[in-house]
Amino acid sequence: MTYPDFERALSKPRIGRFLLAVNGDYNKAIQLYKLNIQLSQTLYGLLSIFEVTLRNNIDQHYRQHFNDNEWLKNQCGQSGMFSHPSFAKYGFESRTKVLTTIAQLGKRYNHDRLVAELSFGFWTYMFAPIQFRVGGQGLHKIFLNRPKGTTQKLIFNELDEIRKLRNRIAHHEPLCFDKQHQIFTDHTMTTYSFIIKQVDWLGYEHNELYLELDNTTEIITAIDGQKK
């Protein structure tokens, strides 16, 4: 496919950023676009595994903490954690999300489906200050291999960066630029390191959990090579 055809298919504003980053070289612009797609593909695969692993560990923690296999639904009750007065300022958003999802599931509802339907953002914010506090302040213990002194704040901040990366991929945003549309992969590489680190902290060997599908470092190296 020629560059004009590629540009017509994807739009000039979208592909133009890649052309600008490689100083107008058509072939390198297409190659950079391809590498960015490959980077999104591999990271989305890792993120999907990470998301399922994280939410399952959180779910198991609170099943045990509340001694309740239906804790998500039941903690929306009047005395439940999601109804705590601390959430009033934010409109009891977590409770609303749980109850809305239960309503959407209807007759299909069971706890495991509810866990699967709630967003990565919902699970990330279980480590936000209010959720962490009203949830018993022990959720960080799911990270069995965390270094001594690891705080809830550090875990939440890293999870939030992972959430932002996931959203960028879901919205087809490039992962290889800075704000000036120059090739820049440092932020993506840093967030990728958070994913690997947190998997290890959860007690899994990341290469085994990711089924040896991770080639993020190689793709980022190839993207950085386009700067030459």
Side-chain angles (χ1 to χ4, degrees), residues 212-224:
E212 299 183 354
L213 295 173
D214 181 10
N215 57 348
T216 303
T217 302
E218 292 86 346
I219 298 171
I220 284 180
T221 298
I223 290 173
D224 289 340

Side-chain angles (χ1 to χ4, degrees), residues 131-214:
Q131 284 91 326
F132 182 77
R133 177 169 55 82
V134 301
Q137 302 187 80
L139 186 56
H140 62 300
K141 294 177 183 177
I142 67 173
F143 293 97
L144 304 176
N145 294 335
R146 70 191 186 282
K148 185 177 180 179
T150 300
T151 64
Q152 158 269 329
K153 182 177 180 181
L154 184 147
I155 292 170
F156 173 68
N157 287 343
E158 292 189 359
L159 283 174
D160 201 40
E161 289 300 316
I162 294 170
R163 179 190 63 82
K164 291 174 184 176
L165 176 66
R166 184 189 184 282
N167 287 348
R168 288 183 65 83
I169 295 171
H171 290 95
H172 314 295
E173 296 180 25
L175 307 180
C176 58
F177 297 141
D178 60 17
K179 292 181 180 179
Q180 287 72 45
H181 300 300
Q182 298 299 308
I183 295 174
F184 182 79
T185 58
D186 289 11
H187 189 264
T188 298
M189 190 66 183
T190 296
T191 309
Y192 162 72
S193 74
F194 294 159
I195 300 170
I196 298 301
K197 179 173 65 176
Q198 294 214 6
V199 164
D200 290 339
W201 284 3
L202 284 167
Y204 304 94
E205 207 293 315
H206 61 266
N207 284 324
E208 294 179 4
L209 184 65
Y210 288 140
L211 307 173
E212 299 183 354
L213 295 173
D214 181 10

Side-chain angles (χ1 to χ4, degrees), residues 51-62:
E51 178 176 350
V52 173
T53 303
L54 178 70
R55 76 189 186 202
N56 286 347
N57 277 269
I58 294 173
D59 179 44
Q60 286 301 316
H61 171 83
Y62 280 121

